[in-house]
Amino acid sequence: MSPHDVAIVVPMLDEAAALPRLLRHLAALDPQPAEIVAVDGGSRDASVEIAGASGLVKVLRCPTRGRAAQINHGVGAVRSPLVCVLHADTLLPDDAVSVIRRTLEDPRLALAGFTPLLSGPETVRWGTSLHNWLKTWYAPLLFRPHLFLRGGRLLFGDHAMFFRRVDFEAVGGCDESLALMEDADLCLRLVRRGRIRLVNRVVITSDRRVAAWGPIKANWIYLKVGVRWGLGLRRGLERHYPDVR
């Protein structure tokens, strides 16, 4: 499989502050992906203009609000067989395309993601990053042990999740009725197609939520939302998860 068989899909909403740094990192990827698509969910800032002016990214406007719809729209628009969904505040390693390609050469895998390290301008959030790492295993073990034994792991958007487009389409993509945790829900459905793997390579993701809420409140929010979702209380979770830009 060629490195030119990888597409990157970036769902974005009011990400003008994060986009310049993201675009610099995307330009440094070696090898470059075949496609980079940014899917705007109705930004009111200069996100569309910044992404479009880069010459690197094809910008699409999603007709339906919500990150799940944006992801579906982006995956439906690319032709590459391998797709990475990248948040606008997450930075890939320079060789990410090669990592994605090598990882998905394993036919037993249906989904994989990088290891996120939450970081800000002046600090690294080691405690929250460690908790996120541990949650990959303990959350499915506690709430879905039968899927854990089949290779189920819990990944989120900050992991820069990647998969084969054919597998994504086979499970119906992301559930657009979910305003939150669409990534975790995708894990539950993709595990029917194969195992889920956390790759031992780091992506740097913004600590903006931890910075805004404080470490204790942030981890309490993450835990509360995660437990409610694990217990099947999936509607209205966005009320417990304030937006931060």
Side-chain angles (χ1 to χ4, degrees):
M1 189 172 288
S2 162
H4 301 296
D5 290 325
V6 176
I8 295 177
V9 172
V10 183
M12 66 179 187
L13 178 66
D14 296 331
E15 293 287 3
L19 279 171
R21 188 181 184 202
L22 173 69
L23 292 167
R24 291 195 300 272
H25 279 256
L26 290 175
L29 294 179
D30 184 18
Q32 279 282 300
E35 305 167 84
I36 305 177
V37 174
V39 186
D40 188 67
S43 294
R44 291 170 291 182
D45 63 7
S47 295
V48 170
E49 292 76 14
I50 292 171
S54 69
L56 185 69
V57 176
K58 178 180 180 181
V59 180
L60 305 175
R61 296 180 186 268
C62 185
T64 306
R65 290 188 65 86
R67 193 163 57 202
Q70 290 172 256
I71 294 170
N72 288 344
H73 193 67
V75 175
V78 300
R79 298 277 65 88
S80 302
L82 309 181
V83 181
C84 173
V85 177
L86 178 66
H87 284 191
D89 65 344
T90 299
L91 306 175
L92 294 168
D94 290 355
D95 63 340
V97 170
S98 295
V99 173
I100 293 167
R101 178 186 169 209
R102 286 197 306 270
T103 302
L104 291 179
E105 285 176 350
D106 184 346
R108 298 170 297 176
L109 295 180
L111 176 70
F114 294 85
T115 300
L117 187 62
L118 273 70
S119 178
E122 299 178 357
T123 186
V124 175
R125 306 289 180 173
W126 296 107
T128 303
S129 298
L130 174 62
H131 178 225
N132 288 348
W133 181 77
L134 293 171
K135 188 164 54 179
T136 304
W137 290 276
Y138 83 70
L141 182 60
L142 286 174
F143 292 109
R144 300 292 188 277
H146 62 295
L147 295 181
F148 179 84
L149 295 175
R150 288 172 48 185
R153 303 293 182 263
L154 189 62
L155 303 182
F156 294 95
D158 288 346
H159 290 86
M161 296 160 51
F162 52 94
F163 44 79
R164 298 178 192 87
R165 186 162 53 88
V166 66
D167 290 328
F168 182 86
E169 292 172 346
V171 300
C174 292
D175 183 347
E176 296 186 12
S177 71
L178 298 176
L180 204 64
M181 300 290 280
E182 77 292 331
D183 35 21
D185 179 74
L186 182 62
C187 291
L188 292 184
R189 287 182 291 120
L190 272 175
V191 76
R192 302 200 302 262
R193 304 278 296 180
R195 301 178 68 85
I196 297 173
R197 179 184 171 193
L198 181 65
V199 175
N200 192 24
R201 292 293 304 278
V202 169
V203 293
I204 304 298
T205 193
S206 171
D207 72 338
R208 58 190 180 184
R209 289 183 176 83
V210 181
W213 299 333
I216 295 176
K217 181 179 179 180
N219 282 282
W220 167 243
I221 289 173
Y222 296 148
L223 181 64
K224 178 170 60 174
V225 169
V227 169
R228 289 177 66 88
W229 178 83
L231 293 175
L233 306 173
R234 301 188 180 182
R235 307 300 171 183
L237 287 177
E238 64 276 10
R239 296 196 303 269
H240 306 280
Y241 199 80
D243 188 33
V244 175
R245 286 291 186 274

